């Protein structure tokens, strides 16, 4: 199974009010193992960068002004995602909303909601009432995120991949190495009467004649 663990950065919270996608990061996982393949791109939002958003990801309007707009990278993004890959994100509805807005705005088919897995929903089910931000889950599972001072789509996707594996039970998920005890039914021991195999006179005579033919038998040495 091909899964793409991904994250996005944006200018704000809602594309319907003018916020735009500015960064996409995806890392590929096949059969729950990272392949080393990834996709990363910065996107020119064609608008200003709010100070509140800049404080989160550190991406300025100046930095993004010479980056491609979404329509320029759309085809390579669609090709990398493919038709049946599962898309895994933390608070997936947020990222899905921005990506699908861009696709729809460009006249392309959107990504169906059934293709998305939300690790935040998984975490809330496993740890109800606990803090389930990406940083909190890193701390809970011992995932190293000390190099994460600002949000970055590809970095967050790589960190989320490790967290996702832990949410599913760890890298040895489903591997049971415990020793299974065998149930032995105790009961009365069965005994069998001893059997007798007496030697006949003919056998004794034949044996005596045979011994006479032996030269220097070992029991006479």
């Amino acid at each position: 199974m091909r899964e793409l663990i991904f994250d996005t950065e944006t200018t704000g919270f809602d594309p319907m009010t003018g916020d735009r996608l500015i960064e996409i990061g995806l890392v590929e996982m096949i059969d729950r193992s990272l392949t080393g393949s990834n996709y990363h791109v910065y996107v020119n939002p064609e608008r200003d960068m709010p100070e509140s958003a800049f404080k989160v990801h550190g991406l300025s309007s100046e930095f993004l002004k010479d980056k491609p707009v979404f329509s320029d990278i759309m085809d390579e993004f669609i090709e990398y995602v493919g038709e049946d890959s599962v898309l895994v994100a933390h608070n997936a509805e947020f990222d899905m909303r921005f990506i699908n807005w861009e696709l729809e705005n460009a006249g392309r088919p959107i990504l169906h909601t059934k293709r998305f897995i939300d690790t935040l929903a998984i975490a809330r089910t496993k740890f109800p009432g606990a803090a389930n931000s990406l940083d909190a889950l890193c701390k809970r599972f011992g995932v190293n995120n000390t190099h994460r001072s600002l949000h970055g789509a590809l970095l967050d996707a790589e960190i989320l991949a490790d967290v996702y594996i832990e949410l599913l039970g760890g890298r040895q998920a489903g591997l049971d190495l415990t020793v299974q005890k065998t149930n032995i039914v105790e009961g009365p021991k069965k005994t069998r009467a001893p059997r007798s195999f007496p030697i006949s006179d003919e056998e004794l005579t034949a044996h005596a004649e045979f011994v006479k033919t032996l030269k220097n038998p070992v029991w006479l040495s």
Side-chain angles (χ1 to χ4, degrees), residues 7-11 15 19-24 42-46 64 70 73 95 98-99 101-102:
D7 185 52
T8 64
E9 298 298 341
T10 68
T11 64
D19 288 313
R20 293 292 178 265
L21 192 68
I22 60 171
E23 186 184 11
I24 307 172
Y42 293 108
V43 179
N44 182 352
E46 299 182 287
L64 294 168
F70 185 82
I73 59 92
D95 305 278
F98 274 90
I99 288 175
W101 189 93
E102 296 286 359

mmCIF file of all heavy atoms in Angstrom, residues 7-11 15 19-24 42-46 64 70 73 95 98-99 101-102:
data_model
loop_
_atom_site.group_PDB
_atom_site.id
_atom_site.type_symbol
_atom_site.label_atom_id
_atom_site.label_comp_id
_atom_site.label_asym_id
_atom_site.label_seq_id
_atom_site.Cartn_x
_atom_site.Cartn_y
_atom_site.Cartn_z
ATOM 1 N N ASP A 7 2.120 17.517 4.597
ATOM 2 C CA ASP A 7 1.772 18.701 5.355
ATOM 3 C C ASP A 7 1.783 19.886 4.394
ATOM 4 O O ASP A 7 2.429 19.827 3.331
ATOM 5 C CB ASP A 7 2.766 18.936 6.494
ATOM 6 C CG ASP A 7 2.350 20.099 7.387
ATOM 7 O OD1 ASP A 7 1.199 20.101 7.857
ATOM 8 O OD2 ASP A 7 3.172 21.010 7.601
ATOM 9 N N THR A 8 1.061 20.918 4.758
ATOM 10 C CA THR A 8 1.060 22.147 3.959
ATOM 11 C C THR A 8 1.308 23.334 4.877
ATOM 12 O O THR A 8 1.092 23.270 6.091
ATOM 13 C CB THR A 8 -0.282 22.360 3.240
ATOM 14 O OG1 THR A 8 -1.307 22.544 4.212
ATOM 15 C CG2 THR A 8 -0.628 21.184 2.343
ATOM 16 N N GLU A 9 1.761 24.425 4.284
ATOM 17 C CA GLU A 9 1.799 25.718 4.964
ATOM 18 C C GLU A 9 0.949 26.673 4.146
ATOM 19 O O GLU A 9 0.872 26.548 2.910
ATOM 20 C CB GLU A 9 3.230 26.234 5.104
ATOM 21 C CG GLU A 9 4.147 25.356 5.938
ATOM 22 C CD GLU A 9 3.711 25.208 7.394
ATOM 23 O OE1 GLU A 9 2.916 26.053 7.877
ATOM 24 O OE2 GLU A 9 4.146 24.246 8.040
ATOM 25 N N THR A 10 0.314 27.606 4.815
ATOM 26 C CA THR A 10 -0.630 28.514 4.153
ATOM 27 C C THR A 10 -0.470 29.933 4.701
ATOM 28 O O THR A 10 0.271 30.169 5.664
ATOM 29 C CB THR A 10 -2.080 28.048 4.395
ATOM 30 O OG1 THR A 10 -2.394 28.212 5.794
ATOM 31 C CG2 THR A 10 -2.265 26.581 4.002
ATOM 32 N N THR A 11 -1.213 30.856 4.105
ATOM 33 C CA THR A 11 -1.206 32.235 4.596
ATOM 34 C C THR A 11 -2.201 32.433 5.733
ATOM 35 O O THR A 11 -2.236 33.516 6.341
ATOM 36 C CB THR A 11 -1.560 33.224 3.464
ATOM 37 O OG1 THR A 11 -2.907 32.983 3.032
ATOM 38 C CG2 THR A 11 -0.613 33.085 2.287
ATOM 39 N N PRO A 15 -9.289 29.117 2.795
ATOM 40 C CA PRO A 15 -9.136 29.560 1.404
ATOM 41 C C PRO A 15 -10.367 30.317 0.895
ATOM 42 O O PRO A 15 -10.263 31.099 -0.052
ATOM 43 C CB PRO A 15 -8.953 28.245 0.642
ATOM 44 C CG PRO A 15 -9.599 27.205 1.490
ATOM 45 C CD PRO A 15 -9.358 27.647 2.900
ATOM 46 N N ASP A 19 -7.221 33.139 1.871
ATOM 47 C CA ASP A 19 -5.937 32.535 2.237
ATOM 48 C C ASP A 19 -5.514 31.539 1.171
ATOM 49 O O ASP A 19 -6.341 30.946 0.485
ATOM 50 C CB ASP A 19 -6.039 31.850 3.602
ATOM 51 C CG ASP A 19 -6.131 32.853 4.738
ATOM 52 O OD1 ASP A 19 -5.332 33.799 4.739
ATOM 53 O OD2 ASP A 19 -7.015 32.689 5.613
ATOM 54 N N ARG A 20 -4.195 31.350 1.057
ATOM 55 C CA ARG A 20 -3.681 30.518 -0.026
ATOM 56 C C ARG A 20 -2.592 29.559 0.469
ATOM 57 O O ARG A 20 -1.916 29.781 1.466
ATOM 58 C CB ARG A 20 -3.094 31.397 -1.146
ATOM 59 C CG ARG A 20 -4.125 32.233 -1.878
ATOM 60 C CD ARG A 20 -5.061 31.338 -2.682
ATOM 61 N NE ARG A 20 -6.100 32.110 -3.355
ATOM 62 C CZ ARG A 20 -7.320 32.322 -2.851
ATOM 63 N NH1 ARG A 20 -7.654 31.838 -1.665
ATOM 64 N NH2 ARG A 20 -8.200 33.019 -3.531
ATOM 65 N N LEU A 21 -2.432 28.503 -0.303
ATOM 66 C CA LEU A 21 -1.390 27.498 -0.096
ATOM 67 C C LEU A 21 -0.034 28.090 -0.459
ATOM 68 O O LEU A 21 0.097 28.774 -1.477
ATOM 69 C CB LEU A 21 -1.693 26.308 -1.002
ATOM 70 C CG LEU A 21 -0.949 24.996 -0.820
ATOM 71 C CD1 LEU A 21 -1.361 24.348 0.496
ATOM 72 C CD2 LEU A 21 -1.280 24.065 -1.977
ATOM 73 N N ILE A 22 1.005 27.847 0.357
ATOM 74 C CA ILE A 22 2.337 28.368 0.035
ATOM 75 C C ILE A 22 3.424 27.290 0.052
ATOM 76 O O ILE A 22 4.530 27.519 -0.442
ATOM 77 C CB ILE A 22 2.751 29.504 0.991
ATOM 78 C CG1 ILE A 22 2.793 29.011 2.436
ATOM 79 C CG2 ILE A 22 1.816 30.702 0.842
ATOM 80 C CD1 ILE A 22 3.388 30.004 3.414
ATOM 81 N N GLU A 23 3.140 26.113 0.597
ATOM 82 C CA GLU A 23 4.150 25.052 0.644
ATOM 83 C C GLU A 23 3.470 23.700 0.772
ATOM 84 O O GLU A 23 2.480 23.558 1.487
ATOM 85 C CB GLU A 23 5.115 25.264 1.818
ATOM 86 C CG GLU A 23 6.275 24.280 1.851
ATOM 87 C CD GLU A 23 7.176 24.439 3.068
ATOM 88 O OE1 GLU A 23 6.796 25.174 4.005
ATOM 89 O OE2 GLU A 23 8.240 23.803 3.091
ATOM 90 N N ILE A 24 3.998 22.713 0.068
ATOM 91 C CA ILE A 24 3.519 21.330 0.156
ATOM 92 C C ILE A 24 4.714 20.416 0.372
ATOM 93 O O ILE A 24 5.734 20.551 -0.324
ATOM 94 C CB ILE A 24 2.787 20.878 -1.129
ATOM 95 C CG1 ILE A 24 1.665 21.851 -1.507
ATOM 96 C CG2 ILE A 24 2.219 19.468 -0.954
ATOM 97 C CD1 ILE A 24 1.057 21.556 -2.872
ATOM 98 N N TYR A 42 7.537 25.082 -2.924
ATOM 99 C CA TYR A 42 7.006 26.348 -2.424
ATOM 100 C C TYR A 42 6.101 26.928 -3.501
ATOM 101 O O TYR A 42 6.370 26.781 -4.697
ATOM 102 C CB TYR A 42 8.121 27.330 -2.100
ATOM 103 C CG TYR A 42 8.996 26.925 -0.941
ATOM 104 C CD1 TYR A 42 10.303 26.493 -1.148
ATOM 105 C CD2 TYR A 42 8.517 26.979 0.363
ATOM 106 C CE1 TYR A 42 11.104 26.126 -0.090
ATOM 107 C CE2 TYR A 42 9.315 26.605 1.440
ATOM 108 C CZ TYR A 42 10.605 26.182 1.208
ATOM 109 O OH TYR A 42 11.394 25.811 2.256
ATOM 110 N N VAL A 43 5.036 27.596 -3.083
ATOM 111 C CA VAL A 43 4.047 28.127 -4.015
ATOM 112 C C VAL A 43 3.854 29.621 -3.762
ATOM 113 O O VAL A 43 3.690 30.052 -2.609
ATOM 114 C CB VAL A 43 2.693 27.397 -3.851
ATOM 115 C CG1 VAL A 43 1.652 27.958 -4.812
ATOM 116 C CG2 VAL A 43 2.868 25.895 -4.062
ATOM 117 N N ASN A 44 3.862 30.385 -4.828
ATOM 118 C CA ASN A 44 3.588 31.810 -4.745
ATOM 119 C C ASN A 44 2.088 32.015 -4.536
ATOM 120 O O ASN A 44 1.283 31.659 -5.395
ATOM 121 C CB ASN A 44 4.038 32.494 -6.042
ATOM 122 C CG ASN A 44 3.841 33.995 -6.016
ATOM 123 O OD1 ASN A 44 3.236 34.548 -5.101
ATOM 124 N ND2 ASN A 44 4.360 34.670 -7.033
ATOM 125 N N PRO A 45 1.678 32.600 -3.391
ATOM 126 C CA PRO A 45 0.241 32.757 -3.116
ATOM 127 C C PRO A 45 -0.376 33.958 -3.828
ATOM 128 O O PRO A 45 -1.596 34.134 -3.773
ATOM 129 C CB PRO A 45 0.207 32.963 -1.600
ATOM 130 C CG PRO A 45 1.494 33.662 -1.295
ATOM 131 C CD PRO A 45 2.507 33.076 -2.261
ATOM 132 N N GLU A 46 0.474 34.770 -4.451
ATOM 133 C CA GLU A 46 0.004 35.966 -5.158
ATOM 134 C C GLU A 46 -0.802 36.899 -4.243
ATOM 135 O O GLU A 46 -1.812 37.475 -4.644
ATOM 136 C CB GLU A 46 -0.828 35.573 -6.390
ATOM 137 C CG GLU A 46 -0.049 34.756 -7.404
ATOM 138 C CD GLU A 46 -0.856 34.417 -8.644
ATOM 139 O OE1 GLU A 46 -1.760 33.556 -8.532
ATOM 140 O OE2 GLU A 46 -0.597 35.005 -9.707
ATOM 141 N N LEU A 64 8.693 34.205 -1.358
ATOM 142 C CA LEU A 64 7.782 33.440 -2.209
ATOM 143 C C LEU A 64 7.477 34.093 -3.555
ATOM 144 O O LEU A 64 6.914 33.439 -4.441
ATOM 145 C CB LEU A 64 6.454 33.210 -1.470
ATOM 146 C CG LEU A 64 6.528 32.320 -0.219
ATOM 147 C CD1 LEU A 64 5.228 32.423 0.567
ATOM 148 C CD2 LEU A 64 6.818 30.871 -0.588
ATOM 149 N N PHE A 70 0.426 27.831 -8.146
ATOM 150 C CA PHE A 70 -0.038 26.443 -8.073
ATOM 151 C C PHE A 70 -0.294 25.846 -9.453
ATOM 152 O O PHE A 70 0.019 24.673 -9.693
ATOM 153 C CB PHE A 70 -1.310 26.343 -7.224
ATOM 154 C CG PHE A 70 -1.757 24.930 -7.015
ATOM 155 C CD1 PHE A 70 -1.188 24.132 -6.029
ATOM 156 C CD2 PHE A 70 -2.744 24.368 -7.822
ATOM 157 C CE1 PHE A 70 -1.582 22.810 -5.851
ATOM 158 C CE2 PHE A 70 -3.154 23.054 -7.639
ATOM 159 C CZ PHE A 70 -2.570 22.274 -6.653
ATOM 160 N N ILE A 73 2.708 24.106 -10.965
ATOM 161 C CA ILE A 73 3.217 22.843 -10.390
ATOM 162 C C ILE A 73 2.119 21.793 -10.285
ATOM 163 O O ILE A 73 2.363 20.675 -9.820
ATOM 164 C CB ILE A 73 3.861 23.091 -9.000
ATOM 165 C CG1 ILE A 73 2.846 23.707 -8.012
ATOM 166 C CG2 ILE A 73 5.063 23.998 -9.140
ATOM 167 C CD1 ILE A 73 2.096 22.743 -7.179
ATOM 168 N N ASP A 95 -5.615 20.650 5.559
ATOM 169 C CA ASP A 95 -4.758 20.551 4.373
ATOM 170 C C ASP A 95 -5.573 20.178 3.139
ATOM 171 O O ASP A 95 -5.346 20.711 2.044
ATOM 172 C CB ASP A 95 -3.658 19.510 4.609
ATOM 173 C CG ASP A 95 -2.846 19.802 5.856
ATOM 174 O OD1 ASP A 95 -1.937 20.635 5.779
ATOM 175 O OD2 ASP A 95 -3.137 19.207 6.906
ATOM 176 N N PHE A 98 -7.414 23.187 1.533
ATOM 177 C CA PHE A 98 -6.582 24.084 0.736
ATOM 178 C C PHE A 98 -6.184 23.448 -0.597
ATOM 179 O O PHE A 98 -6.244 24.094 -1.651
ATOM 180 C CB PHE A 98 -5.335 24.503 1.517
ATOM 181 C CG PHE A 98 -5.558 25.700 2.394
ATOM 182 C CD1 PHE A 98 -5.991 25.553 3.704
ATOM 183 C CD2 PHE A 98 -5.357 26.979 1.905
ATOM 184 C CE1 PHE A 98 -6.216 26.654 4.506
ATOM 185 C CE2 PHE A 98 -5.575 28.095 2.701
ATOM 186 C CZ PHE A 98 -6.009 27.939 4.007
ATOM 187 N N ILE A 99 -5.760 22.177 -0.551
ATOM 188 C CA ILE A 99 -5.349 21.504 -1.781
ATOM 189 C C ILE A 99 -6.516 21.388 -2.747
ATOM 190 O O ILE A 99 -6.387 21.678 -3.948
ATOM 191 C CB ILE A 99 -4.750 20.121 -1.459
ATOM 192 C CG1 ILE A 99 -3.378 20.274 -0.801
ATOM 193 C CG2 ILE A 99 -4.627 19.277 -2.730
ATOM 194 C CD1 ILE A 99 -2.762 18.979 -0.330
ATOM 195 N N TRP A 101 -9.184 23.243 -2.879
ATOM 196 C CA TRP A 101 -9.570 24.561 -3.385
ATOM 197 C C TRP A 101 -8.705 24.923 -4.587
ATOM 198 O O TRP A 101 -9.207 25.407 -5.603
ATOM 199 C CB TRP A 101 -9.427 25.628 -2.304
ATOM 200 C CG TRP A 101 -10.010 26.952 -2.711
ATOM 201 C CD1 TRP A 101 -11.268 27.402 -2.463
ATOM 202 C CD2 TRP A 101 -9.345 27.963 -3.487
ATOM 203 N NE1 TRP A 101 -11.447 28.652 -3.019
ATOM 204 C CE2 TRP A 101 -10.278 29.020 -3.656
ATOM 205 C CE3 TRP A 101 -8.079 28.094 -4.046
ATOM 206 C CZ2 TRP A 101 -9.976 30.196 -4.368
ATOM 207 C CZ3 TRP A 101 -7.772 29.252 -4.764
ATOM 208 C CH2 TRP A 101 -8.710 30.283 -4.918
ATOM 209 N N GLU A 102 -7.383 24.673 -4.456
ATOM 210 C CA GLU A 102 -6.469 24.998 -5.555
ATOM 211 C C GLU A 102 -6.779 24.150 -6.789
ATOM 212 O O GLU A 102 -6.781 24.650 -7.920
ATOM 213 C CB GLU A 102 -5.018 24.782 -5.117
ATOM 214 C CG GLU A 102 -4.533 25.695 -3.995
ATOM 215 C CD GLU A 102 -4.277 27.122 -4.459
ATOM 216 O OE1 GLU A 102 -4.463 27.426 -5.663
ATOM 217 O OE2 GLU A 102 -3.895 27.948 -3.614
#
